[in-house]
Amino acid sequence: MLRSNLAQPENGDLRRRVLLGELSAHALCRMESFELAPEAVREKRREVERRCLEAVWDREGPLPAMPFDGLGSTRSSYLNAGAPPPPPIRRQAGGDDEEEGGGER
């Protein structure tokens, strides 16, 4: 990935920064592919990302205001589609409020 990005003719800015020592070898090796790409490629990627997000954005759907409205809520299901369910509420059988051992809550 480094070689191909440094070899691109339109990526002269990256080569210049490396050759002048503005960018250390350590920093260069830690860079993501987006950062290594020439500015024209980065701009094209941003535009594609923006168009894709606009294509899937439901402008008529509910706006997320609260992260959870209860288990029966459609909006809750929509907003928390990938989230695990909340833990169950455990109640003691028998209806008394005392725990075993006689202590109060």
Side-chain angles (χ1 to χ4, degrees):
M1 183 171 64
L2 284 175
R3 184 194 172 290
S4 62
N5 279 290
L6 287 168
Q8 288 185 10
E10 61 272 357
N11 214 351
D13 186 54
L14 179 65
R15 281 191 304 280
R16 181 190 58 76
R17 291 175 57 204
V18 170
L19 293 173
L20 293 177
E22 294 175 8
L23 190 61
S24 70
H26 183 263
L28 181 67
C29 291
R30 295 182 55 91
M31 289 175 78
E32 304 264 338
S33 61
F34 182 81
E35 298 169 294
L36 291 168
E39 185 59 38
V41 173
R42 283 187 274 178
E43 188 57 41
K44 186 183 284 186
R45 287 178 183 168
R46 283 187 204 108
E47 178 61 27
V48 168
E49 181 181 17
R50 186 188 63 74
R51 280 187 297 170
C52 290
L53 287 173
E54 284 183 357
V56 299
W57 184 21
D58 181 10
R59 293 178 191 269
E60 302 300 320
L63 294 174
M66 295 175 49
F68 186 74
D69 286 342
L71 291 176
S73 167
T74 302
R75 188 165 71 142
S76 168
S77 300
Y78 172 76
L79 295 175
N80 296 304
I89 299 172
R90 303 204 185 268
R91 294 191 176 99
Q92 290 184 345
D96 40 323
D97 292 334
E98 289 186 354
E99 294 179 19
E100 290 181 8
E104 291 183 18
R105 286 190 199 195

